[in-house]
Amino acid sequence: SVPNKAETSYKAQSRTQFRDVMGININDYINTLRVNEFRRLLNDKDVSLEEAVERAGFQSMRTAYRCYKAVYGSTPRSK
């Protein structure tokens, strides 16, 4: 369904309030949580790289690596 103006306004306001309170936008916050989980899973010898990507909530390895680099400044394998 097409969202009405009130719904859109509410969503925008919620995102702004989140940013004001947390100091980070919600997408960056979620990606940071995913990257931290990805990093934790990479340290688990029983979890494959592909499984870590999936379990951390990323759609692709490329996205996982890009987000990881944005948070930690390097790719997981270059550290």
mmCIF file with all atom_site columns, all heavy atoms in Angstrom, residues 25-48:
data_model
loop_
_atom_site.group_PDB
_atom_site.id
_atom_site.type_symbol
_atom_site.label_atom_id
_atom_site.label_alt_id
_atom_site.label_comp_id
_atom_site.label_asym_id
_atom_site.label_entity_id
_atom_site.label_seq_id
_atom_site.pdbx_PDB_ins_code
_atom_site.Cartn_x
_atom_site.Cartn_y
_atom_site.Cartn_z
_atom_site.occupancy
_atom_site.B_iso_or_equiv
_atom_site.pdbx_formal_charge
_atom_site.auth_seq_id
_atom_site.auth_comp_id
_atom_site.auth_asym_id
_atom_site.auth_atom_id
_atom_site.pdbx_PDB_model_num
ATOM 1   N N   . ASN A 1 25 ? 22.661 8.071   12.666 1.00 0.00 ? 25 ASN A N   1
ATOM 2   C CA  . ASN A 1 25 ? 21.390 7.729   12.023 1.00 0.00 ? 25 ASN A CA  1
ATOM 3   C C   . ASN A 1 25 ? 21.120 6.237   12.176 1.00 0.00 ? 25 ASN A C   1
ATOM 4   O O   . ASN A 1 25 ? 22.035 5.442   12.424 1.00 0.00 ? 25 ASN A O   1
ATOM 5   C CB  . ASN A 1 25 ? 21.322 8.211   10.563 1.00 0.00 ? 25 ASN A CB  1
ATOM 6   C CG  . ASN A 1 25 ? 22.120 7.391   9.603  1.00 0.00 ? 25 ASN A CG  1
ATOM 7   O OD1 . ASN A 1 25 ? 22.024 6.164   9.577  1.00 0.00 ? 25 ASN A OD1 1
ATOM 8   N ND2 . ASN A 1 25 ? 22.894 8.055   8.764  1.00 0.00 ? 25 ASN A ND2 1
ATOM 9   N N   . ILE A 1 26 ? 19.879 5.869   12.049 1.00 0.00 ? 26 ILE A N   1
ATOM 10  C CA  . ILE A 1 26 ? 19.469 4.493   12.349 1.00 0.00 ? 26 ILE A CA  1
ATOM 11  C C   . ILE A 1 26 ? 20.130 3.467   11.433 1.00 0.00 ? 26 ILE A C   1
ATOM 12  O O   . ILE A 1 26 ? 20.496 2.375   11.876 1.00 0.00 ? 26 ILE A O   1
ATOM 13  C CB  . ILE A 1 26 ? 17.933 4.345   12.367 1.00 0.00 ? 26 ILE A CB  1
ATOM 14  C CG1 . ILE A 1 26 ? 17.551 3.020   13.019 1.00 0.00 ? 26 ILE A CG1 1
ATOM 15  C CG2 . ILE A 1 26 ? 17.354 4.512   10.980 1.00 0.00 ? 26 ILE A CG2 1
ATOM 16  C CD1 . ILE A 1 26 ? 16.113 2.954   13.475 1.00 0.00 ? 26 ILE A CD1 1
ATOM 17  N N   . ASN A 1 27 ? 20.330 3.811   10.158 1.00 0.00 ? 27 ASN A N   1
ATOM 18  C CA  . ASN A 1 27 ? 20.974 2.864   9.248  1.00 0.00 ? 27 ASN A CA  1
ATOM 19  C C   . ASN A 1 27 ? 22.417 2.591   9.666  1.00 0.00 ? 27 ASN A C   1
ATOM 20  O O   . ASN A 1 27 ? 22.863 1.436   9.657  1.00 0.00 ? 27 ASN A O   1
ATOM 21  C CB  . ASN A 1 27 ? 20.929 3.376   7.807  1.00 0.00 ? 27 ASN A CB  1
ATOM 22  C CG  . ASN A 1 27 ? 19.533 3.362   7.250  1.00 0.00 ? 27 ASN A CG  1
ATOM 23  O OD1 . ASN A 1 27 ? 18.687 2.590   7.670  1.00 0.00 ? 27 ASN A OD1 1
ATOM 24  N ND2 . ASN A 1 27 ? 19.280 4.247   6.301  1.00 0.00 ? 27 ASN A ND2 1
ATOM 25  N N   . ASP A 1 28 ? 23.148 3.637   10.044 1.00 0.00 ? 28 ASP A N   1
ATOM 26  C CA  . ASP A 1 28 ? 24.523 3.452   10.508 1.00 0.00 ? 28 ASP A CA  1
ATOM 27  C C   . ASP A 1 28 ? 24.560 2.643   11.802 1.00 0.00 ? 28 ASP A C   1
ATOM 28  O O   . ASP A 1 28 ? 25.439 1.812   12.012 1.00 0.00 ? 28 ASP A O   1
ATOM 29  C CB  . ASP A 1 28 ? 25.223 4.790   10.693 1.00 0.00 ? 28 ASP A CB  1
ATOM 30  C CG  . ASP A 1 28 ? 25.507 5.501   9.384  1.00 0.00 ? 28 ASP A CG  1
ATOM 31  O OD1 . ASP A 1 28 ? 25.462 4.838   8.323  1.00 0.00 ? 28 ASP A OD1 1
ATOM 32  O OD2 . ASP A 1 28 ? 25.761 6.720   9.418  1.00 0.00 ? 28 ASP A OD2 1
ATOM 33  N N   . TYR A 1 29 ? 23.597 2.892   12.677 1.00 0.00 ? 29 TYR A N   1
ATOM 34  C CA  . TYR A 1 29 ? 23.519 2.156   13.938 1.00 0.00 ? 29 TYR A CA  1
ATOM 35  C C   . TYR A 1 29 ? 23.295 0.660   13.687 1.00 0.00 ? 29 TYR A C   1
ATOM 36  O O   . TYR A 1 29 ? 23.995 -0.187  14.244 1.00 0.00 ? 29 TYR A O   1
ATOM 37  C CB  . TYR A 1 29 ? 22.390 2.731   14.795 1.00 0.00 ? 29 TYR A CB  1
ATOM 38  C CG  . TYR A 1 29 ? 22.192 2.028   16.106 1.00 0.00 ? 29 TYR A CG  1
ATOM 39  C CD1 . TYR A 1 29 ? 23.049 2.253   17.183 1.00 0.00 ? 29 TYR A CD1 1
ATOM 40  C CD2 . TYR A 1 29 ? 21.151 1.121   16.289 1.00 0.00 ? 29 TYR A CD2 1
ATOM 41  C CE1 . TYR A 1 29 ? 22.874 1.601   18.392 1.00 0.00 ? 29 TYR A CE1 1
ATOM 42  C CE2 . TYR A 1 29 ? 20.959 0.469   17.495 1.00 0.00 ? 29 TYR A CE2 1
ATOM 43  C CZ  . TYR A 1 29 ? 21.824 0.717   18.533 1.00 0.00 ? 29 TYR A CZ  1
ATOM 44  O OH  . TYR A 1 29 ? 21.652 0.065   19.738 1.00 0.00 ? 29 TYR A OH  1
ATOM 45  N N   . ILE A 1 30 ? 22.347 0.356   12.814 1.00 0.00 ? 30 ILE A N   1
ATOM 46  C CA  . ILE A 1 30 ? 22.055 -1.045  12.500 1.00 0.00 ? 30 ILE A CA  1
ATOM 47  C C   . ILE A 1 30 ? 23.257 -1.700  11.840 1.00 0.00 ? 30 ILE A C   1
ATOM 48  O O   . ILE A 1 30 ? 23.626 -2.835  12.184 1.00 0.00 ? 30 ILE A O   1
ATOM 49  C CB  . ILE A 1 30 ? 20.793 -1.151  11.620 1.00 0.00 ? 30 ILE A CB  1
ATOM 50  C CG1 . ILE A 1 30 ? 19.554 -0.766  12.431 1.00 0.00 ? 30 ILE A CG1 1
ATOM 51  C CG2 . ILE A 1 30 ? 20.639 -2.553  11.028 1.00 0.00 ? 30 ILE A CG2 1
ATOM 52  C CD1 . ILE A 1 30 ? 18.304 -0.559  11.616 1.00 0.00 ? 30 ILE A CD1 1
ATOM 53  N N   . ASN A 1 31 ? 23.906 -1.005  10.910 1.00 0.00 ? 31 ASN A N   1
ATOM 54  C CA  . ASN A 1 31 ? 25.082 -1.576  10.262 1.00 0.00 ? 31 ASN A CA  1
ATOM 55  C C   . ASN A 1 31 ? 26.217 -1.807  11.249 1.00 0.00 ? 31 ASN A C   1
ATOM 56  O O   . ASN A 1 31 ? 26.929 -2.802  11.154 1.00 0.00 ? 31 ASN A O   1
ATOM 57  C CB  . ASN A 1 31 ? 25.548 -0.691  9.103  1.00 0.00 ? 31 ASN A CB  1
ATOM 58  C CG  . ASN A 1 31 ? 24.692 -0.870  7.881  1.00 0.00 ? 31 ASN A CG  1
ATOM 59  O OD1 . ASN A 1 31 ? 24.056 -1.905  7.688  1.00 0.00 ? 31 ASN A OD1 1
ATOM 60  N ND2 . ASN A 1 31 ? 24.655 0.150   7.040  1.00 0.00 ? 31 ASN A ND2 1
ATOM 61  N N   . THR A 1 32 ? 26.367 -0.919  12.232 1.00 0.00 ? 32 THR A N   1
ATOM 62  C CA  . THR A 1 32 ? 27.396 -1.114  13.260 1.00 0.00 ? 32 THR A CA  1
ATOM 63  C C   . THR A 1 32 ? 27.094 -2.361  14.084 1.00 0.00 ? 32 THR A C   1
ATOM 64  O O   . THR A 1 32 ? 28.001 -3.157  14.381 1.00 0.00 ? 32 THR A O   1
ATOM 65  C CB  . THR A 1 32 ? 27.508 0.126   14.165 1.00 0.00 ? 32 THR A CB  1
ATOM 66  O OG1 . THR A 1 32 ? 27.883 1.246   13.356 1.00 0.00 ? 32 THR A OG1 1
ATOM 67  C CG2 . THR A 1 32 ? 28.550 -0.069  15.255 1.00 0.00 ? 32 THR A CG2 1
ATOM 68  N N   . LEU A 1 33 ? 25.828 -2.564  14.445 1.00 0.00 ? 33 LEU A N   1
ATOM 69  C CA  . LEU A 1 33 ? 25.450 -3.784  15.169 1.00 0.00 ? 33 LEU A CA  1
ATOM 70  C C   . LEU A 1 33 ? 25.759 -5.024  14.331 1.00 0.00 ? 33 LEU A C   1
ATOM 71  O O   . LEU A 1 33 ? 26.298 -6.017  14.852 1.00 0.00 ? 33 LEU A O   1
ATOM 72  C CB  . LEU A 1 33 ? 23.963 -3.761  15.521 1.00 0.00 ? 33 LEU A CB  1
ATOM 73  C CG  . LEU A 1 33 ? 23.498 -2.720  16.535 1.00 0.00 ? 33 LEU A CG  1
ATOM 74  C CD1 . LEU A 1 33 ? 21.990 -2.772  16.691 1.00 0.00 ? 33 LEU A CD1 1
ATOM 75  C CD2 . LEU A 1 33 ? 24.188 -2.936  17.876 1.00 0.00 ? 33 LEU A CD2 1
ATOM 76  N N   . ARG A 1 34 ? 25.439 -4.977  13.052 1.00 0.00 ? 34 ARG A N   1
ATOM 77  C CA  . ARG A 1 34 ? 25.697 -6.111  12.164 1.00 0.00 ? 34 ARG A CA  1
ATOM 78  C C   . ARG A 1 34 ? 27.194 -6.379  12.039 1.00 0.00 ? 34 ARG A C   1
ATOM 79  O O   . ARG A 1 34 ? 27.636 -7.532  12.066 1.00 0.00 ? 34 ARG A O   1
ATOM 80  C CB  . ARG A 1 34 ? 25.106 -5.849  10.778 1.00 0.00 ? 34 ARG A CB  1
ATOM 81  C CG  . ARG A 1 34 ? 23.619 -5.940  10.738 1.00 0.00 ? 34 ARG A CG  1
ATOM 82  C CD  . ARG A 1 34 ? 23.095 -5.626  9.368  1.00 0.00 ? 34 ARG A CD  1
ATOM 83  N NE  . ARG A 1 34 ? 21.651 -5.822  9.312  1.00 0.00 ? 34 ARG A NE  1
ATOM 84  C CZ  . ARG A 1 34 ? 20.869 -5.256  8.431  1.00 0.00 ? 34 ARG A CZ  1
ATOM 85  N NH1 . ARG A 1 34 ? 21.361 -4.455  7.508  1.00 0.00 ? 34 ARG A NH1 1
ATOM 86  N NH2 . ARG A 1 34 ? 19.579 -5.488  8.456  1.00 0.00 ? 34 ARG A NH2 1
ATOM 87  N N   . VAL A 1 35 ? 27.972 -5.309  11.894 1.00 0.00 ? 35 VAL A N   1
ATOM 88  C CA  . VAL A 1 35 ? 29.424 -5.464  11.760 1.00 0.00 ? 35 VAL A CA  1
ATOM 89  C C   . VAL A 1 35 ? 30.012 -6.070  13.032 1.00 0.00 ? 35 VAL A C   1
ATOM 90  O O   . VAL A 1 35 ? 30.883 -6.951  12.960 1.00 0.00 ? 35 VAL A O   1
ATOM 91  C CB  . VAL A 1 35 ? 30.097 -4.111  11.431 1.00 0.00 ? 35 VAL A CB  1
ATOM 92  C CG1 . VAL A 1 35 ? 31.594 -4.176  11.634 1.00 0.00 ? 35 VAL A CG1 1
ATOM 93  C CG2 . VAL A 1 35 ? 29.777 -3.707  9.999  1.00 0.00 ? 35 VAL A CG2 1
ATOM 94  N N   . ASN A 1 36 ? 29.555 -5.620  14.183 1.00 0.00 ? 36 ASN A N   1
ATOM 95  C CA  . ASN A 1 36 ? 30.068 -6.183  15.438 1.00 0.00 ? 36 ASN A CA  1
ATOM 96  C C   . ASN A 1 36 ? 29.729 -7.665  15.557 1.00 0.00 ? 36 ASN A C   1
ATOM 97  O O   . ASN A 1 36 ? 30.562 -8.466  16.014 1.00 0.00 ? 36 ASN A O   1
ATOM 98  C CB  . ASN A 1 36 ? 29.535 -5.397  16.630 1.00 0.00 ? 36 ASN A CB  1
ATOM 99  C CG  . ASN A 1 36 ? 30.169 -4.032  16.730 1.00 0.00 ? 36 ASN A CG  1
ATOM 100 O OD1 . ASN A 1 36 ? 31.284 -3.807  16.260 1.00 0.00 ? 36 ASN A OD1 1
ATOM 101 N ND2 . ASN A 1 36 ? 29.463 -3.094  17.336 1.00 0.00 ? 36 ASN A ND2 1
ATOM 102 N N   . GLU A 1 37 ? 28.532 -8.044  15.120 1.00 0.00 ? 37 GLU A N   1
ATOM 103 C CA  . GLU A 1 37 ? 28.157 -9.462  15.134 1.00 0.00 ? 37 GLU A CA  1
ATOM 104 C C   . GLU A 1 37 ? 28.994 -10.235 14.112 1.00 0.00 ? 37 GLU A C   1
ATOM 105 O O   . GLU A 1 37 ? 29.453 -11.346 14.388 1.00 0.00 ? 37 GLU A O   1
ATOM 106 C CB  . GLU A 1 37 ? 26.659 -9.616  14.850 1.00 0.00 ? 37 GLU A CB  1
ATOM 107 C CG  . GLU A 1 37 ? 26.181 -11.055 14.786 1.00 0.00 ? 37 GLU A CG  1
ATOM 108 C CD  . GLU A 1 37 ? 26.290 -11.815 16.100 1.00 0.00 ? 37 GLU A CD  1
ATOM 109 O OE1 . GLU A 1 37 ? 26.700 -11.240 17.132 1.00 0.00 ? 37 GLU A OE1 1
ATOM 110 O OE2 . GLU A 1 37 ? 25.965 -13.017 16.089 1.00 0.00 ? 37 GLU A OE2 1
ATOM 111 N N   . PHE A 1 38 ? 29.193 -9.655  12.948 1.00 0.00 ? 38 PHE A N   1
ATOM 112 C CA  . PHE A 1 38 ? 30.030 -10.273 11.909 1.00 0.00 ? 38 PHE A CA  1
ATOM 113 C C   . PHE A 1 38 ? 31.438 -10.521 12.450 1.00 0.00 ? 38 PHE A C   1
ATOM 114 O O   . PHE A 1 38 ? 31.994 -11.608 12.311 1.00 0.00 ? 38 PHE A O   1
ATOM 115 C CB  . PHE A 1 38 ? 30.058 -9.350  10.683 1.00 0.00 ? 38 PHE A CB  1
ATOM 116 C CG  . PHE A 1 38 ? 30.864 -9.829  9.519  1.00 0.00 ? 38 PHE A CG  1
ATOM 117 C CD1 . PHE A 1 38 ? 30.715 -11.094 8.994  1.00 0.00 ? 38 PHE A CD1 1
ATOM 118 C CD2 . PHE A 1 38 ? 31.768 -8.970  8.906  1.00 0.00 ? 38 PHE A CD2 1
ATOM 119 C CE1 . PHE A 1 38 ? 31.449 -11.527 7.893  1.00 0.00 ? 38 PHE A CE1 1
ATOM 120 C CE2 . PHE A 1 38 ? 32.507 -9.384  7.807  1.00 0.00 ? 38 PHE A CE2 1
ATOM 121 C CZ  . PHE A 1 38 ? 32.351 -10.659 7.304  1.00 0.00 ? 38 PHE A CZ  1
ATOM 122 N N   . ARG A 1 39 ? 31.997 -9.523  13.105 1.00 0.00 ? 39 ARG A N   1
ATOM 123 C CA  . ARG A 1 39 ? 33.347 -9.655  13.674 1.00 0.00 ? 39 ARG A CA  1
ATOM 124 C C   . ARG A 1 39 ? 33.398 -10.761 14.718 1.00 0.00 ? 39 ARG A C   1
ATOM 125 O O   . ARG A 1 39 ? 34.333 -11.549 14.766 1.00 0.00 ? 39 ARG A O   1
ATOM 126 C CB  . ARG A 1 39 ? 33.767 -8.319  14.280 1.00 0.00 ? 39 ARG A CB  1
ATOM 127 C CG  . ARG A 1 39 ? 35.184 -8.292  14.760 1.00 0.00 ? 39 ARG A CG  1
ATOM 128 C CD  . ARG A 1 39 ? 35.523 -6.929  15.311 1.00 0.00 ? 39 ARG A CD  1
ATOM 129 N NE  . ARG A 1 39 ? 36.956 -6.738  15.306 1.00 0.00 ? 39 ARG A NE  1
ATOM 130 C CZ  . ARG A 1 39 ? 37.549 -5.700  15.823 1.00 0.00 ? 39 ARG A CZ  1
ATOM 131 N NH1 . ARG A 1 39 ? 36.847 -4.732  16.368 1.00 0.00 ? 39 ARG A NH1 1
ATOM 132 N NH2 . ARG A 1 39 ? 38.856 -5.605  15.791 1.00 0.00 ? 39 ARG A NH2 1
ATOM 133 N N   . ARG A 1 40 ? 32.372 -10.807 15.579 1.00 0.00 ? 40 ARG A N   1
ATOM 134 C CA  . ARG A 1 40 ? 32.317 -11.850 16.606 1.00 0.00 ? 40 ARG A CA  1
ATOM 135 C C   . ARG A 1 40 ? 32.261 -13.232 15.959 1.00 0.00 ? 40 ARG A C   1
ATOM 136 O O   . ARG A 1 40 ? 32.977 -14.156 16.357 1.00 0.00 ? 40 ARG A O   1
ATOM 137 C CB  . ARG A 1 40 ? 31.097 -11.628 17.508 1.00 0.00 ? 40 ARG A CB  1
ATOM 138 C CG  . ARG A 1 40 ? 31.022 -12.575 18.699 1.00 0.00 ? 40 ARG A CG  1
ATOM 139 C CD  . ARG A 1 40 ? 29.704 -12.447 19.429 1.00 0.00 ? 40 ARG A CD  1
ATOM 140 N NE  . ARG A 1 40 ? 28.598 -12.998 18.668 1.00 0.00 ? 40 ARG A NE  1
ATOM 141 C CZ  . ARG A 1 40 ? 28.360 -14.307 18.510 1.00 0.00 ? 40 ARG A CZ  1
ATOM 142 N NH1 . ARG A 1 40 ? 29.170 -15.207 19.049 1.00 0.00 ? 40 ARG A NH1 1
ATOM 143 N NH2 . ARG A 1 40 ? 27.316 -14.716 17.815 1.00 0.00 ? 40 ARG A NH2 1
ATOM 144 N N   . LEU A 1 41 ? 31.428 -13.361 14.928 1.00 0.00 ? 41 LEU A N   1
ATOM 145 C CA  . LEU A 1 41 ? 31.286 -14.645 14.251 1.00 0.00 ? 41 LEU A CA  1
ATOM 146 C C   . LEU A 1 41 ? 32.558 -15.056 13.514 1.00 0.00 ? 41 LEU A C   1
ATOM 147 O O   . LEU A 1 41 ? 32.868 -16.244 13.429 1.00 0.00 ? 41 LEU A O   1
ATOM 148 C CB  . LEU A 1 41 ? 30.109 -14.601 13.272 1.00 0.00 ? 41 LEU A CB  1
ATOM 149 C CG  . LEU A 1 41 ? 28.727 -14.526 13.924 1.00 0.00 ? 41 LEU A CG  1
ATOM 150 C CD1 . LEU A 1 41 ? 27.673 -14.129 12.906 1.00 0.00 ? 41 LEU A CD1 1
ATOM 151 C CD2 . LEU A 1 41 ? 28.374 -15.846 14.592 1.00 0.00 ? 41 LEU A CD2 1
ATOM 152 N N   . LEU A 1 42 ? 33.299 -14.081 12.998 1.00 0.00 ? 42 LEU A N   1
ATOM 153 C CA  . LEU A 1 42 ? 34.556 -14.401 12.307 1.00 0.00 ? 42 LEU A CA  1
ATOM 154 C C   . LEU A 1 42 ? 35.574 -15.041 13.252 1.00 0.00 ? 42 LEU A C   1
ATOM 155 O O   . LEU A 1 42 ? 36.435 -15.798 12.813 1.00 0.00 ? 42 LEU A O   1
ATOM 156 C CB  . LEU A 1 42 ? 35.167 -13.139 11.690 1.00 0.00 ? 42 LEU A CB  1
ATOM 157 C CG  . LEU A 1 42 ? 34.461 -12.585 10.466 1.00 0.00 ? 42 LEU A CG  1
ATOM 158 C CD1 . LEU A 1 42 ? 35.102 -11.267 10.042 1.00 0.00 ? 42 LEU A CD1 1
ATOM 159 C CD2 . LEU A 1 42 ? 34.488 -13.578 9.316  1.00 0.00 ? 42 LEU A CD2 1
ATOM 160 N N   . ASN A 1 43 ? 35.469 -14.725 14.526 1.00 0.00 ? 43 ASN A N   1
ATOM 161 C CA  . ASN A 1 43 ? 36.382 -15.310 15.512 1.00 0.00 ? 43 ASN A CA  1
ATOM 162 C C   . ASN A 1 43 ? 35.976 -16.710 15.953 1.00 0.00 ? 43 ASN A C   1
ATOM 163 O O   . ASN A 1 43 ? 36.728 -17.375 16.655 1.00 0.00 ? 43 ASN A O   1
ATOM 164 C CB  . ASN A 1 43 ? 36.498 -14.388 16.728 1.00 0.00 ? 43 ASN A CB  1
ATOM 165 C CG  . ASN A 1 43 ? 37.241 -13.120 16.394 1.00 0.00 ? 43 ASN A CG  1
ATOM 166 O OD1 . ASN A 1 43 ? 38.204 -13.133 15.648 1.00 0.00 ? 43 ASN A OD1 1
ATOM 167 N ND2 . ASN A 1 43 ? 36.777 -12.009 16.937 1.00 0.00 ? 43 ASN A ND2 1
ATOM 168 N N   . ASP A 1 44 ? 34.806 -17.139 15.536 1.00 0.00 ? 44 ASP A N   1
ATOM 169 C CA  . ASP A 1 44 ? 34.318 -18.477 15.862 1.00 0.00 ? 44 ASP A CA  1
ATOM 170 C C   . ASP A 1 44 ? 34.791 -19.439 14.779 1.00 0.00 ? 44 ASP A C   1
ATOM 171 O O   . ASP A 1 44 ? 34.367 -19.354 13.632 1.00 0.00 ? 44 ASP A O   1
ATOM 172 C CB  . ASP A 1 44 ? 32.786 -18.459 15.937 1.00 0.00 ? 44 ASP A CB  1
ATOM 173 C CG  . ASP A 1 44 ? 32.187 -19.777 16.397 1.00 0.00 ? 44 ASP A CG  1
ATOM 174 O OD1 . ASP A 1 44 ? 32.843 -20.838 16.239 1.00 0.00 ? 44 ASP A OD1 1
ATOM 175 O OD2 . ASP A 1 44 ? 31.051 -19.743 16.890 1.00 0.00 ? 44 ASP A OD2 1
ATOM 176 N N   . LYS A 1 45 ? 35.661 -20.337 15.135 1.00 0.00 ? 45 LYS A N   1
ATOM 177 C CA  . LYS A 1 45 ? 36.258 -21.270 14.167 1.00 0.00 ? 45 LYS A CA  1
ATOM 178 C C   . LYS A 1 45 ? 35.238 -22.220 13.543 1.00 0.00 ? 45 LYS A C   1
ATOM 179 O O   . LYS A 1 45 ? 35.487 -22.792 12.493 1.00 0.00 ? 45 LYS A O   1
ATOM 180 C CB  . LYS A 1 45 ? 37.378 -22.093 14.828 1.00 0.00 ? 45 LYS A CB  1
ATOM 181 C CG  . LYS A 1 45 ? 38.483 -21.260 15.422 1.00 0.00 ? 45 LYS A CG  1
ATOM 182 C CD  . LYS A 1 45 ? 39.217 -20.498 14.355 1.00 0.00 ? 45 LYS A CD  1
ATOM 183 C CE  . LYS A 1 45 ? 40.324 -19.671 14.976 1.00 0.00 ? 45 LYS A CE  1
ATOM 184 N NZ  . LYS A 1 45 ? 40.762 -18.580 14.160 1.00 0.00 ? 45 LYS A NZ  1
ATOM 185 N N   . ASP A 1 46 ? 34.077 -22.372 14.181 1.00 0.00 ? 46 ASP A N   1
ATOM 186 C CA  . ASP A 1 46 ? 33.046 -23.275 13.669 1.00 0.00 ? 46 ASP A CA  1
ATOM 187 C C   . ASP A 1 46 ? 32.099 -22.607 12.675 1.00 0.00 ? 46 ASP A C   1
ATOM 188 O O   . ASP A 1 46 ? 31.187 -23.248 12.155 1.00 0.00 ? 46 ASP A O   1
ATOM 189 C CB  . ASP A 1 46 ? 32.223 -23.851 14.830 1.00 0.00 ? 46 ASP A CB  1
ATOM 190 C CG  . ASP A 1 46 ? 33.066 -24.718 15.749 1.00 0.00 ? 46 ASP A CG  1
ATOM 191 O OD1 . ASP A 1 46 ? 34.013 -25.371 15.255 1.00 0.00 ? 46 ASP A OD1 1
ATOM 192 O OD2 . ASP A 1 46 ? 32.779 -24.740 16.955 1.00 0.00 ? 46 ASP A OD2 1
ATOM 193 N N   . VAL A 1 47 ? 32.310 -21.306 12.408 1.00 0.00 ? 47 VAL A N   1
ATOM 194 C CA  . VAL A 1 47 ? 31.423 -20.558 11.516 1.00 0.00 ? 47 VAL A CA  1
ATOM 195 C C   . VAL A 1 47 ? 32.203 -20.155 10.266 1.00 0.00 ? 47 VAL A C   1
ATOM 196 O O   . VAL A 1 47 ? 33.252 -19.533 10.360 1.00 0.00 ? 47 VAL A O   1
ATOM 197 C CB  . VAL A 1 47 ? 30.868 -19.298 12.228 1.00 0.00 ? 47 VAL A CB  1
ATOM 198 C CG1 . VAL A 1 47 ? 29.988 -18.483 11.291 1.00 0.00 ? 47 VAL A CG1 1
ATOM 199 C CG2 . VAL A 1 47 ? 30.094 -19.688 13.480 1.00 0.00 ? 47 VAL A CG2 1
ATOM 200 N N   . SER A 1 48 ? 31.674 -20.524 9.107  1.00 0.00 ? 48 SER A N   1
ATOM 201 C CA  . SER A 1 48 ? 32.330 -20.161 7.848  1.00 0.00 ? 48 SER A CA  1
ATOM 202 C C   . SER A 1 48 ? 32.120 -18.673 7.570  1.00 0.00 ? 48 SER A C   1
ATOM 203 O O   . SER A 1 48 ? 31.221 -18.032 8.129  1.00 0.00 ? 48 SER A O   1
ATOM 204 C CB  . SER A 1 48 ? 31.757 -20.971 6.688  1.00 0.00 ? 48 SER A CB  1
ATOM 205 O OG  . SER A 1 48 ? 30.431 -20.559 6.408  1.00 0.00 ? 48 SER A OG  1
#
